[in-house]
Amino acid sequence: MPKKFPTFDECYKAIPEVRKPLNFDKLWEEEIIKIKKKPLEPVSKLKLRKSLTKTSNYEIQFKGHLDNIIHGYLIIPRKLTKVPAVISVHDYWQEFNNLEEMNQTLTNNGIAHLHLYLHKEEILQEHLKNISSSDKSKKIEFLYPPYFLDTFKQPFNYDYGVFLVLDLLRAIDFIRLNNSIRHDRIGIIGRGLGANLAVFAAAFRPESVKALALERISPVWFENFIKLSSSQLAKEYQKIVLLKKSQNKNQNLYEFLNEPLFIANKIQIPTIMSVGLEDPEHPAYTAFSFFNLLNCDKSMQIFTDENQDPNQKKERETSLQFLIENLK
């Protein structure tokens, strides 16, 4: 029997009751103060090309908040000064589709593009190779390393959801060091987990982030995300909830410090979201809950089934045009 997804009417009426943990703001404020004191140690390596190009392309790296090395690339339009920038953040263990087209669209419109890797590409490829060559009869619980589950019992700043937010804030600090980029005209496009991180970055760096494009945001509204999503991320959080139950603590099992609902009221910039009513990994129902709490200039693109845009081209084009219009 095919899976039954919440209807559009059910999604439209999704209004969660938000109870923010008492220590939420304090914990985040303390960590944000700490990362400002740590040196970035940025490295930008120019990639030379044989053919003439209208852009300067760099392989970049800088230190994250726990001295981890963050990798990515930066493309800046040439012959222009002080351009806006877009930061792109991909989903959990999934890269963006049509990444090269994204580079071209942004730079052709005079906007720099900083793309971040949440994990090293070689780790992903090596893990996939190991899976394909392993004993097929052996049950594999998780396709990829379960970073969220593995770090759940660690201190606040080691929690993987928090860890990634802090590193994205470091990426904004990295941009602020570049004289060719307007650090007060930054947009962020995030997909899935990347959209979750983008919301936190916009809330904590309002002086820099001026537009958001959130594709299939998750996790959000954890209680229902865990029930409705078939993703590895949801399965990791299912196990985390079981661990919280076993600890018998007097706390809400679904309170997580990387819950976007807790900071929806801080988003005061133009925002576009996209959802798929039949997306099995990124539930539209939970995304609507966040959208309904936003009190800003907002819009949403809705796909009634996944065959409408199988390669994400329409979705991506709309997201990018929205960012271009709001940043230029």
Side-chain angles (χ1 to χ4, degrees):
M1 179 181 291
K3 182 176 180 179
K4 185 179 182 300
F5 296 93
T7 65
F8 172 79
D9 288 340
E10 290 170 327
C11 292
Y12 186 76
K13 297 174 184 177
I15 306 291
E17 183 179 352
V18 180
R19 284 179 235 164
K20 186 165 67 172
L22 293 176
N23 61 346
F24 180 87
D25 291 325
K26 182 182 178 183
L27 285 171
W28 276 110
E29 286 170 5
E30 288 175 351
E31 292 304 320
I32 290 170
I33 290 171
K34 288 179 187 176
I35 64 173
K36 288 181 179 179
K37 298 176 181 178
K38 292 190 173 184
L40 280 168
E41 298 185 19
V43 177
S44 297
K45 181 180 178 181
L46 183 64
K47 294 172 66 177
L48 299 176
R49 294 190 173 186
K50 294 180 180 178
S51 58
L52 293 175
T53 177
K54 297 179 181 179
T55 61
S56 298
N57 298 20
Y58 300 90
E59 292 180 351
I60 64 99
Q61 68 177 56
F62 52 91
K63 275 196 173 183
H65 78 288
L66 291 176
D67 293 334
N68 53 301
I69 302 299
I70 301 169
H71 295 268
Y73 66 76
L74 174 63
I75 305 178
I76 305 176
R78 296 174 65 185
K79 298 184 180 180
L80 294 173
T81 58
K82 291 292 184 182
V83 297
V86 164
I87 302 174
S88 57
V89 195
H90 58 78
D91 202 355
Y92 191 39
W93 290 113
Q94 293 181 35
E95 182 57 279
F96 277 105
N97 287 353
N98 313 309
L99 192 54
E100 188 58 38
E101 289 90 335
M102 190 189 307
N103 297 335
Q104 293 178 0
T105 299
L106 290 171
T107 54
N108 287 347
N109 282 276
I111 296 177
H113 180 203
L114 173 62
H115 181 62
L116 298 177
Y117 299 117
L118 299 187
H119 48 73
K120 291 184 178 179
E121 193 67 21
E122 55 265 30
I123 295 178
L124 172 61
Q125 296 303 328
E126 183 66 25
H127 196 71
L128 288 174
K129 185 171 70 175
N130 292 339
I131 290 172
S132 63
S133 61
S134 64
D135 183 357
K136 296 292 190 288
S137 63
K138 187 177 180 181
K139 184 178 178 181
I140 300 175
E141 184 175 18
F142 295 116
L143 185 60
Y144 306 113
Y147 286 160
F148 286 84
L149 180 59
D150 289 346
T151 60
F152 167 63
K153 292 185 178 181
Q154 300 296 321
F156 173 75
N157 61 352
Y158 284 84
D159 179 286
Y160 198 57
V162 175
F163 181 100
L164 292 175
V165 170
L166 294 172
D167 280 351
L168 180 52
L169 296 180
R170 299 278 282 175
I172 295 173
D173 293 338
F174 172 84
I175 282 182
R176 292 171 68 91
L177 297 176
N178 193 304
N179 292 329
S180 299
I181 297 176
R182 286 192 59 179
H183 59 76
D184 61 342
R185 300 299 297 170
I186 296 173
I188 306 179
I189 177 171
R191 186 170 184 85
L193 173 60
N196 170 296
L197 307 179
V199 169
F200 278 85
F204 296 146
R205 290 283 193 272
E207 71 281 4
S208 295
V209 182
K210 301 302 180 184
L212 283 177
L214 309 175
E215 297 181 356
R216 315 296 178 100
I217 184 172
S218 65
V220 62
W221 199 3
F222 279 77
E223 182 174 359
N224 285 291
F225 166 72
I226 290 169
K227 296 173 184 176
L228 295 172
S229 174
S230 62
S231 67
Q232 173 173 315
L233 187 52
K235 293 174 183 175
E236 289 185 48
Y237 273 109
Q238 287 170 9
K239 286 190 171 291
I240 290 172
V241 168
L242 291 176
L243 287 170
K244 291 179 78 171
K245 283 182 179 179
S246 68
Q247 292 171 355
N248 293 319
K249 290 184 178 179
N250 294 322
Q251 61 179 355
N252 188 323
L253 295 172
Y254 300 101
E255 281 184 354
F256 293 98
L257 292 167
N258 57 326
E259 169 61 86
L261 297 182
F262 297 153
I263 54 171
N265 64 334
K266 292 182 179 291
I267 305 303
Q268 301 296 322
I269 56 177
T271 300
I272 188 170
M273 292 179 59
S274 58
V275 299
L277 295 181
E278 295 186 354
D279 186 331
E281 295 193 352
H282 314 95
Y285 184 72
T286 61
F288 263 92
S289 74
F290 179 74
F291 184 82
N292 290 336
L293 291 181
L294 288 176
N295 186 22
C296 61
D297 179 3
K298 61 183 180 179
S299 58
M300 180 182 281
Q301 48 180 334
I302 301 170
F303 296 90
T304 55
D305 68 70
E306 294 305 279
N307 291 325
Q308 286 182 307
D309 188 28
N311 295 314
Q312 305 166 17
K313 285 194 173 183
K314 296 177 185 176
E315 186 174 17
R316 188 65 33 73
E317 181 179 344
T318 303
S319 296
L320 293 178
Q321 289 306 315
F322 175 86
L323 292 174
I324 291 165
E325 290 170 10
N326 282 282
L327 293 176
K328 292 191 72 176

